[in-house]
Amino acid sequence: MSVRESRVLAIIGQGYVGLPLAMAAIDAGWKVIGIDNFEAKVSQINSGISPVEDISDSQLQAALASGAYRASSDFSSVAKASVITICVPTPLDENREPDLSLLQNAATAIAPFVSNETLIVNESTSYPGTLRDIIIPTVDSLKPKDSINVYFASAPERVNPGDPVWNQKNTPRLVGAIDAASQDKAFAFYESICDFAISVSSPEVAEAAKLLENTFRLVNIALINEFTQLCASSGINVHEVIDAASSKPYGFMPFRPGVGVGGHCIPIDPLYLTWWASKKGNKADFISAADAVNQRMPRYVAKRALALVDSSRINPRVLILGVAYKPGVGDVRETPVAELRDYLLAQGAEVAWHDPLVSIWNDSEPVDLEWKCDVAILATKQPGMNVKALAERGIQILDCTNSLKNVAGVTAL
Ligand SMILES: NC(=O)c1ccc[n+]([C@@H]2O[C@H](COP(=O)([O-])OP(=O)(O)OC[C@H]3O[C@@H](n4cnc5c(N)ncnc54)[C@H](O)[C@@H]3O)[C@@H](O)[C@H]2O)c1
């Protein structure tokens, strides 16, 4: 049986959240065991190849070489840890309701190995009550001995992949625990890694704050997506309107339209909130309406792009530029570009895509910018994509990113 050591952190899930947390903790002097149940990913990480853009291979290799970090799929190694953080996906199921099976599996897998006085923190995004309703009962029922005392807290991750400014260290972290002793332990842990830790009165406040943050983005993006359609139908450039409104020094925050919302957070987390509301007999109509507006956006974009093509063209060739859900990452989870492509195909278009950060997507490979097309849709402005060269070849471009201003042949969404 392994003996628990101080300043040893076990992180369950080595993805966009878990691996950057591991590197930040190492910088703060922790030893880290990065646990992931996807063995191919564990091997890749241990061979020094980072699976996420925010961590370079050289940073990962330095961490491995220092002996402070190792990835593993062996859950028994959590017995060595004084702190265990859970950073696993919390997606939606086929009914677009919370799927907490991975979180449940993670809690089940660590529980038999927790040591006395271990702190367990959930960082995965979920509805208020998840720590108390799922993680604590699971761990308490499966821990090696009843006498083992475990501390519990919730500290939802706020990482913004691809962000050059905000990271694990300088983004303030909310910490809410189940009792004073857990709060002290969790606060001290995050204070050792982050510049600012902020105590809130319960795990539920921390969990709800995370959902509020992402729902705030969802509804504002939906508002601007709807507003864009209103402006476009009157020939008004919405970006000029947003710039004009942004001159107001208070009470306004600019959001930009786009193909929709994607990634693991913005399209999903608000639905955790609507589900939670309905479980409590409440309604969250405003959030549901915002979700519906964003879901319709890919079709609107497709129609706008096809309107730029000569109507005599039976099967127009459409090139989609950027398929990741946002610039600077190769993450295609929940990308609204999938719906855009499906809708274009359903309209009889021939569709190809180009994205320097994505090598394979939906079993298809990218084309280069020479692919002959009738119209291009700039969906995500990836670095290293010379879109202006396309415009110079006389190709019509629908720019959904507001990045090609005053370029001939470019229409802004
Ligand atoms: N990606 C983001 O921008 C972001 C930002 C803030 C919060 N979050 C939240 O953080 C959580 C993790 O998201 P992510 O983007 O890091 O996901 P990810 O898919 O990038 O990584 C999760 C990892 O967990 C592993 N995993 C799944 N189930 C497991 C289990 N039972 N045991 C061990 N490993 C397991 C997967 O193999 C994967 O490598 C989610 O709740 C997400 O909503 C994500």
Side-chain angles (χ1 to χ4, degrees):
M1 175 94 186
S2 332
V3 178
R4 202 190 69 156
E5 298 168 30
S6 67
R7 287 182 88 81
V8 173
L9 166 65
I11 303 174
I12 316 302
Q14 289 296 277
Y16 280 92
V17 166
L19 191 59
L21 174 66
M23 298 301 121
I26 290 163
D27 285 347
W30 287 77
K31 273 192 171 178
V32 179
I33 309 159
I35 297 189
D36 203 291
N37 63 0
F38 184 17
E39 296 207 1
K41 193 178 229 180
V42 168
S43 308
Q44 178 187 338
I45 292 173
N46 282 335
S47 69
I49 301 169
S50 171
V52 299
E53 295 84 4
D54 286 346
I55 302 301
S56 66
D57 291 351
S58 56
Q59 186 181 4
L60 175 60
Q61 286 159 13
L64 289 163
S66 72
Y69 176 72
R70 196 88 198 143
S72 170
S73 51
D74 176 9
F75 282 84
S76 71
S77 54
V78 304
K80 290 185 191 150
S82 53
V83 179
I84 303 171
T85 59
I86 303 177
C87 309
V88 300
T90 43
L92 298 174
D93 65 15
E94 62 280 3
N95 300 320
R96 304 193 81 220
E97 291 187 352
D99 173 2
L100 293 178
S101 57
L102 301 175
L103 192 64
Q104 175 79 65
N105 292 348
T108 303
I110 59 175
F113 304 108
V114 291
S115 314
N116 195 32
E117 308 266 298
T118 300
L119 167 68
I120 296 180
V121 186
N122 180 37
E123 294 204 1
S124 299
T125 307
S126 187
Y127 61 86
T130 299
L131 182 76
R132 252 187 253 268
D133 294 351
I134 293 179
I135 296 175
I136 295 177
T138 303
V139 172
D140 278 348
S141 66
L142 298 171
K143 64 188 181 185
K145 282 193 231 147
D146 277 350
S147 58
I148 284 181
N149 181 34
V150 183
Y151 302 103
F152 291 100
S154 176
E157 177 51 59
R158 290 169 149 174
V159 72
N160 184 21
D163 191 324
V165 176
W166 296 105
N167 52 47
Q168 297 264 357
K169 186 165 179 349
N170 65 6
T171 304
R173 180 69 79 121
L174 299 179
V175 181
I178 53 162
D179 53 34
S182 299
Q183 186 70 29
D184 287 350
K185 292 245 177 207
F187 192 82
F189 169 64
Y190 283 102
E191 242 195 345
S192 78
I193 293 177
C194 308
D195 294 342
F196 308 100
I198 299 167
S199 277
V200 294
S201 63
S202 69
E204 288 76 17
V205 171
E207 290 163 334
K210 171 71 191 181
L211 294 190
L212 174 63
E213 292 161 19
N214 285 352
T215 304
F216 173 84
R217 283 188 60 73
L218 178 98
V219 297
N220 279 289
I221 292 168
L223 171 65
I224 213 65
N225 278 338
E226 185 171 77
F227 188 71
T228 297
Q229 297 173 48
L230 304 181
C231 286
S233 71
S234 294
I236 299 170
N237 181 322
V238 73
H239 295 287
E240 200 183 340
V241 179
I242 298 168
D243 290 343
S246 299
S247 65
K248 186 179 175 186
Y250 55 88
F252 182 79
M253 187 182 282
F255 282 79
R256 299 282 168 178
V259 180
V261 288
H264 198 308
C265 296
I266 309 300
I268 293 176
D269 302 351
L271 299 191
Y272 272 63
L273 204 50
T274 51
W275 178 87
W276 175 66
S278 71
K279 284 281 151 213
K280 303 266 171 194
N282 299 319
K283 280 187 165 187
D285 294 340
F286 191 62
I287 303 168
S288 302
D291 177 47
V293 169
N294 288 329
Q295 290 219 47
R296 286 195 295 269
M297 205 57 193
R299 287 175 176 229
Y300 171 75
V301 169
K303 285 178 190 158
R304 287 275 307 269
L306 293 174
L308 296 172
V309 180
D310 184 340
S311 55
S312 64
R313 199 86 169 85
I314 308 281
N315 299 110
R317 287 167 66 91
V318 183
L319 176 59
I320 300 177
L321 304 166
V323 299
Y325 80 93
K326 70 174 188 175
V329 298
D331 190 349
V332 292
R333 289 178 298 180
E334 308 289 329
T335 176
V337 182
E339 173 66 18
L340 172 64
R341 182 169 82 157
D342 288 352
Y343 186 71
L344 288 164
L345 289 169
Q347 300 307 301
E350 226 181 291
V351 186
W353 61 276
H354 173 86
D355 190 318
L357 297 185
V358 180
S359 52
I360 192 136
W361 176 53
N362 280 355
D363 297 327
S364 67
E365 288 182 9
V367 296
D368 61 27
L369 292 179
E370 300 303 313
W371 194 77
K372 263 190 93 182
C373 62
D374 300 300
V375 65
I377 302 172
L378 180 53
T380 305
K381 179 78 173 69
Q382 292 288 35
M385 225 164 41
N386 188 2
V387 185
K388 274 194 184 154
L390 272 185
E392 282 159 13
R393 277 175 23 221
I395 290 166
Q396 289 286 331
I397 300 174
L398 178 66
D399 177 15
C400 306
T401 67
N402 193 33
S403 58
L404 298 173
K405 287 176 196 155
N406 304 320
V407 179
V410 173
T411 306
L413 183 63

